[in-house]
Each structure stands twice: as C-alpha cells, then as structure tokens.
Amino acid sequence: MDLHPLTSSTPISNSPPSSSSSSSSSSSSSSSSSSSSSSSSSSSSSSSSSSSSSSSSSSSSSSSSSSSSSSSSSSSSSSSSSSSPPPPPPLPLFQTFHQTARSLCNGTLFPDLCFSKLSSFPQLASLSPEKLAGSALNFTSREVLLAYTNCTNLKTHLYSGLNPTDRHALDDCLELLDGSIAELKASIFDLAPSQSPALHSHDLLTLVSAAMTNHRTCVDGFYNSSGTVRSRVELYLGKIGQHLSIDLAMLKKIPGVNRATGVDQEMLPEYGAVKGGFPKWVSVKDRRLLQAAVNETKFNMVVAKDGSGNFTTVSEAVAAAPNASTTRFVIYIKAGAYFENVEIGRAKSNLMFVGDGIGKTLIKADRNVVDGWTTFRSATVAVVGTGFIAKGITFENYAGPSKHQAVALRSNSDFSAFYQCSFIGYQDTLYVHSLRQFYRDCDVYGTIDFIFGNAAVVFQNCNLYARKPNSNQRNIFTAQGREDPNQNTGISILNCKVEAASDLIPVLSSFRTYLGRPWKLYSRTVFLRSFIGQLIEPVGWLEWNGTFALDTLYYGEYLNRGPGSNTTMRVTWPGYRVITNATEASQFTVERFIQGSSWLNSTEIPFFSGLTPP
C-alpha cells in the first residue's frame, strides 16, 4: 500500500508521546554500521526547507515595504536641515535580516540549511541568544515529531510484512525518536529565562547531543536492510541530524555556555565536578548504598531463582517497580544466573540493581546481529530510565565471536553509574550509547570495539581485558561515536588497567590489539594515568577506513605506564596527541567531564574528582 508521509504543512492528528512511554533504550549498530553514516546525512527534507524558504520570502517582502517608507521619511527630514549633509540611507530591513542570518550561520557545518532555518524566525535580529536557540530547537522538535508520526504510520501499515531485522530497526527508530522528543522538550524548558540557561549549559549540550546520537542510531539500525523501509525512514528523518548540528552551534552562542565547555573545543568538562571520589551527581545517600554490604542494605524488592524473593525473574521486578520515582528504588538480585533480556524503560527512573557480586549474580542472554537483531536491540540489559545504578552484577552476552555485534549492556540513562560490575562479551560488549555515565572498579571483556558509543563517560579504576577473537579478527578496545564538533561526548579511561584476558595470553603474538579506532568523524577518546600492557601494538591506534576522521578525531594519552604505554612509535595522525599538560588532561576527569559533583554523591560509589586519587 502506498503511504503518504506527513510534511510540515500536514496537520498532526496525534499529540507527542509522553516521555514515559518509550521502552528500554536507544541504540544502533556500531562497528559494521559506520559505513551507512554518510547516507542519512545526505537525505533531504523538502518540507522543512520549503517551509523555511517561503517564510524567508514572506519576511523579505514585508521588510521591503517597511524599509521603503522608512527611507522616504529619512529623506524628507534630511532636506530640511541645510547645515549638515544628509545621512546615508539605512540598509533595507530585509538586507539586515539576511546579514544577521548569514552571520549567525558562519562556522556551522551546514550554513545554507542554517540560513534557511533562521530565515523563518520573525524578528531574528532582535532575538537574544537564548531565544534564538529556543526557536531553533522548537523548529527541530516539530521535525522530529513529524518523523515519529510518519514512522508510526509506516509501522501500522507495513509491520506485518517486514522481515525481523527491519521490524527491530523500525521499533528502534520509534523509541529513539520518542527519546529525542523528550530530550528536546527538556532542553527548551531549560532555555526559559526563569531557568538561567547558562547554568544549564552542560545539560543543554548533553540533551541535544543525545538527540543527535538517537538520530544516527536510528539510521544505523537499517545498515543490513535492502528493502524499501530504510529509504522511507530516511525520507521521514529528512535533515533532522543537520538541524540538531545547527541547534548545538546556536546553543554555543549563549553567553556562559562556551565558557562552561572550555575555549578549546577538544576539552571534555561535561562529566562534572567530583567530591569524595564520585561525580557530584551521585548523592551521599546513593554512595552509602553502593558502599554498604548487601546484608546492610534495605531493599524494596527481591529477585531469587529459588522462589524465596518477590519474583523469580529480573524483568518481572522491573515491571513492578514504580514509574517516575523521585527516590531510589532498590532491587536485590540474589546469586544465580538469570537468562533473560531486561529492558529498563524511560519511565523507570532512579532504579538500582544490587547483586551478590561479580560472577555470583549474572544476567545473561545471546541476542546478536547475525541472528537478525540490531546492535541496539541485542543488549542483554538495556537501560534508559534516568539515574540507574548497578552494583555487584555480571552482565553477559554469550553469543560468541562469530555472531559479530552482541551487546551485554547498553546504557542511554543519564546519570547512570556502575560499581563493582563486570561486562562480558566479544564484539560490542558495552554500549555507552549517550548522556552521562560513570564506571568504577568494573571489569570489561571483549574483542572488537568492545567499549563503544557516544556518551560522556568516565571509567575509573577499571580493568579492561581483550579476549581471544576469531582467527581473522583483531582486538580494538574502543570505538567512540562523536559525529559533531559541538557534541560534549567522549570516552575517558582514567587509572585503569588495559590487559589481555586469560584466554588471549597464551596466543598473544597471534593477534593485533589496539586502543581504539574512530567510529564517527569527531571520535574522542583518552587514556589517562593507566597501565597499558604489552598486548597493544606500538602504533597504538587503528584506522577505521583509510583516512576517515584522522584529522578531526581527538585521541590522547597522558602519563600512562606499562610496556604498551611507550608513545614513540604511535600514529602521526593530525588528531592524535600525547598530552603533556595537566590542565588539558584534567578536562577528562569526573570533575570536569560529567559534572560528577552534581549527581555521583547520591550513588555512594567511591570516586576521585581529579587525575589522581586523594
């Protein structure tokens, strides 16, 4: 059946979905999906550009007539004054209007689209930076809502005839678009004068960065699709990714925002301040919870395989947990292996999992891309609800190295924290999808790109282990997915151990292993004060595809130790650097990178705020 997509001029019959309606998370494909990145950027949205240009034309017309009357008034006034020469005629208002738009769009990645977008805003020259950013975000929010509506209609009419991969990818897009609607709504709220937007600079950039990541994840989910669904979804998405890039650039024009993120755009202050070893966004109460022994912790609910708790599966407990909780809700998961896929949706905020320890409480599953899942949907545990915390649990995807992308845990939960947990898989083990995250005293095992995504994330005092891959594979620890220079995202690995797992040690010489490779154009990763074992190749880093991203990425190493830390033979890419300045390195700490002081104190996870423990 022929489906006619809504456009900007089509009335919307349904209201935007509520922020609590989305399911567990947003994701995409990582390693193999990068080659599809460029295709969605180039897809166009005739609706937004035509609406912008017609608006611009109408504005020009009214400006012309107004300028004409202004000019004639000026001329008669000047003739009556013979003692001084007549002043030069003022610029026509439409010319001033267009100059303002062009000036604001200078330096953006998409200046022509930016000009078209800004030209649709009335009284552009008089808008404050905050109102300008708000208008830009409102414009983009409407485009996202149209895309959501069109994708919903697509699912209604075609879903039953789709293959499993396309079904999963379409479901992903709906969840991701729903997440973007919520994130843009929160951003617009933070721009209200009563909210002091400059004080919310990190939140604003984080939320819009996440919406851009959602858009890319939606597109990447169709990487293996050859049907018409992919082309329809790309049509519906239009130029949303480009609009979000413009929105980020407009946010950076707000006084205080650029200063808050550092003059050097390669700095990473977004993680935030740290107190007592934790980002400040972990509260004192949550920190006590994390550091307390299991028998000293008060639980709201218990999961036990033997029936001695409230539920026998983790998913049942999550479903029974309250929605939109403003206080910490603790689920104790007793020792045992729980074979299930768990999704913690947007509505399940402030949830905490407490297990009996690494290797004792395990949540395991084997979804993977080869069997028809998207990378996003392959996660054993997927977390979206804000403020999720886990302690003493092993998250595992046991699909194996031949199944390619197979995620053990995916988090796009803002202010999520993991303490004394392990993540076990092969390719794409840990998907740090978006927003702000913290990992402390954790173990991560994998082979290809096994820490990947586009969050602002700090790993502190963790053990990162490369496993034995298939004979034709290489090991890569990280694949960071930042795609715009104004996104405040990156992977910071601080005071960690980078080593070979036990199964790789006997065959170490048979496989090459690298610190990371650039999944997206502005990929950003740093290793700080960490131990790097002999498994790392002397060049340190690996290309993704030829020269892609080599001059736009930011890869840094600072005061590392161990046999693999020697930087004398490292890559000579323009974007790689050996960091020698503590000021530069400190931008990647919990204090500066994820606003840790504002949220980690509540989790009771220990952390240190700077480059070294207290």
Side-chain angles (χ1 to χ4, degrees):
M1 132 175 246
D2 187 28
L3 296 178
H4 298 284
L6 292 175
T7 65
S8 296
S9 59
T10 309
I12 304 170
S13 59
N14 57 329
S15 58
S18 68
S19 63
S20 64
S21 66
S22 75
S23 51
S24 70
S25 78
S26 357
S27 261
S28 86
S29 50
S30 133
S31 319
S32 71
S33 61
S34 174
S35 63
S36 72
S37 294
S38 60
S39 68
S40 93
S41 298
S42 63
S43 26
S44 68
S45 167
S46 61
S47 65
S48 71
S49 87
S50 73
S51 106
S52 295
S53 61
S54 84
S55 204
S56 166
S57 165
S58 143
S59 168
S60 288
S61 169
S62 86
S63 297
S64 281
S65 98
S66 138
S67 78
S68 154
S69 91
S70 163
S71 173
S72 100
S73 163
S74 165
S75 142
S76 77
S77 165
S78 65
S79 66
S80 68
S81 174
S82 55
S83 59
S84 59
L91 285 171
L93 290 183
F94 78 88
Q95 187 174 340
T96 304
F97 184 91
H98 285 184
Q99 284 180 344
T100 301
R102 288 290 180 199
S103 174
L104 288 168
C105 292
N106 283 342
T108 63
L109 296 183
F110 309 100
D112 292 339
L113 180 63
C114 176
F115 175 76
S116 174
K117 179 175 185 171
L118 268 56
S119 295
S120 70
F121 303 161
Q123 301 177 329
L124 176 65
S126 65
L127 292 179
S128 68
E130 293 84 357
K131 288 185 177 178
L132 172 66
S135 296
L137 286 169
N138 268 305
F139 183 105
T140 305
S141 185
R142 291 192 295 270
E143 296 293 311
V144 174
L145 179 55
L146 284 171
Y148 180 90
T149 304
N150 284 323
C151 286
T152 300
N153 291 338
L154 182 65
K155 179 174 180 176
T156 300
H157 292 98
L158 296 182
Y159 196 74
S160 60
L162 299 180
N163 63 51
T165 301
D166 283 348
R167 285 186 183 185
H168 296 318
L170 184 55
D171 287 338
D172 294 353
C173 285
L174 287 168
E175 181 176 329
L176 291 158
L177 289 167
D178 183 49
S180 294
I181 290 167
E183 285 150 359
L184 294 176
K185 181 179 179 181
S187 300
I188 293 166
F189 176 81
D190 282 344
L191 283 167
S194 61
Q195 299 302 307
S196 302
L199 299 179
H200 293 275
S201 58
H202 296 304
D203 294 331
L204 288 164
L205 293 172
T206 296
L207 291 167
V208 179
S209 293
M212 180 180 283
T213 301
N214 292 344
H215 169 268
R216 172 55 52 198
T217 303
C218 168
V219 174
D220 285 350
F222 288 96
Y223 174 75
N224 292 317
S225 173
S226 57
T228 60
V229 178
R230 173 177 176 167
S231 60
R232 286 182 182 274
V233 170
E234 288 179 345
L235 173 66
Y236 299 160
L237 293 176
K239 296 182 180 179
I240 289 173
Q242 296 178 24
H243 282 298
L244 288 165
S245 174
I246 294 164
D247 297 344
L248 283 170
M250 295 304 109
L251 286 171
K252 298 297 277 288
K253 295 181 184 295
I254 297 174
V257 171
N258 203 46
R259 182 173 65 252
T261 54
V263 175
D264 182 346
Q265 295 305 305
E266 299 306 340
M267 298 300 181
L268 301 175
E270 295 78 13
Y271 200 87
V274 172
K275 183 177 180 181
F278 287 89
K280 286 185 180 177
W281 34 262
V282 177
S283 71
V284 173
K285 184 177 179 181
D286 282 341
R287 198 186 312 177
R288 290 193 189 117
L289 270 175
L290 285 161
Q291 293 175 310
V294 170
N295 59 9
E296 298 172 351
T297 303
K298 181 180 178 181
F299 309 116
N300 299 101
M301 205 174 282
V302 177
V303 178
K305 289 184 70 68
D306 62 6
S308 61
N310 304 100
F311 301 98
T312 57
T313 70
V314 179
S315 295
E316 288 174 313
V318 170
N323 290 340
S325 175
T326 56
T327 58
R328 183 64 59 196
F329 189 88
V330 183
I331 299 176
Y332 170 41
I333 307 171
K334 287 187 175 182
Y338 298 83
F339 291 85
E340 56 181 305
N341 291 92
V342 180
E343 297 191 351
I344 301 161
R346 184 175 301 277
K348 304 294 182 177
S349 55
N350 290 310
L351 206 58
M352 180 178 184
F353 285 179
V354 176
D356 281 320
I358 290 175
K360 295 179 180 177
T361 297
L362 305 94
I363 306 176
K364 308 173 67 165
D366 65 348
R367 288 180 181 173
N368 60 85
V369 168
V370 171
D371 290 343
W373 298 93
T374 58
T375 303
F376 155 63
R377 202 60 72 173
S378 72
T380 297
V381 175
V383 188
V384 181
T386 299
F388 177 80
I389 302 174
K391 173 189 174 183
I393 295 175
T394 292
F395 303 91
E396 182 177 356
N397 190 311
Y398 57 89
S402 299
K403 294 291 188 176
H404 303 310
Q405 294 95 334
V407 175
L409 179 129
R410 182 187 73 251
S411 176
N412 46 312
S413 162
D414 203 11
F415 305 131
S416 53
F418 300 83
Y419 181 47
Q420 295 178 349
C421 292
S422 67
F423 308 88
I424 301 175
Y426 288 89
Q427 183 171 349
D428 290 2
T429 301
L430 179 55
Y431 196 172
V432 290
H433 181 270
S434 55
L435 301 167
R436 287 161 285 199
Q437 305 179 25
F438 179 66
Y439 296 77
R440 167 79 181 219
D441 296 350
C442 291
D443 300 333
V444 189
Y445 295 83
T447 54
I448 300 170
D449 305 335
F450 63 93
I451 299 172
F452 76 106
N454 196 27
V457 56
V458 173
F459 291 84
Q460 196 176 91
N461 292 15
C462 292
N463 300 310
L464 314 180
Y465 295 111
R467 304 179 73 179
K468 179 184 175 183
N470 281 345
S471 57
N472 60 340
Q473 295 177 333
R474 294 172 288 193
N475 286 326
I476 304 106
F477 277 81
T478 66
Q480 205 281 328
R482 180 170 168 255
E483 59 176 325
D484 188 279
N486 288 319
Q487 282 185 305
N488 61 353
T489 54
I491 295 173
S492 175
I493 295 170
L494 173 60
N495 203 43
C496 293
K497 181 169 73 172
V498 177
E499 264 291 9
S502 58
D503 61 344
L504 180 61
I505 291 173
V507 292
L508 197 58
S509 61
S510 302
F511 299 96
R512 294 186 174 183
T513 301
Y514 302 87
L515 294 172
R517 60 176 180 164
W519 182 24
K520 303 296 182 186
L521 190 60
Y522 293 91
S523 183
R524 186 157 61 171
T525 303
V526 294
F527 287 78
L528 312 170
R529 291 186 172 274
S530 293
F531 178 90
I532 301 178
Q534 64 177 343
L535 75 165
I536 299 299
E537 289 292 307
V539 294
W541 306 80
L542 181 67
E543 301 87 350
W544 184 275
N545 183 15
T547 60
F548 170 75
L550 301 189
D551 57 348
T552 50
L553 59 79
Y554 180 101
Y555 285 168
E557 298 180 56
Y558 176 74
L559 294 184
N560 296 308
R561 59 196 185 280
S565 65
N566 190 327
T567 58
T568 56
M569 296 180 66
R570 286 295 195 252
V571 295
T572 57
W573 306 337
Y576 169 78
R577 74 223 39 210
V578 177
I579 301 171
T580 57
N581 185 325
T583 302
E584 181 176 358
S586 69
Q587 304 298 320
F588 301 87
T589 60
V590 169
E591 175 80 19
R592 298 294 304 278
F593 190 28
I594 57 169
Q595 295 85 60
S597 61
S598 67
W599 62 281
L600 267 179
N601 288 325
S602 68
T603 67
E604 300 189 9
I605 300 176
F607 65 92
F608 54 88
S609 59
L611 289 167
T612 56

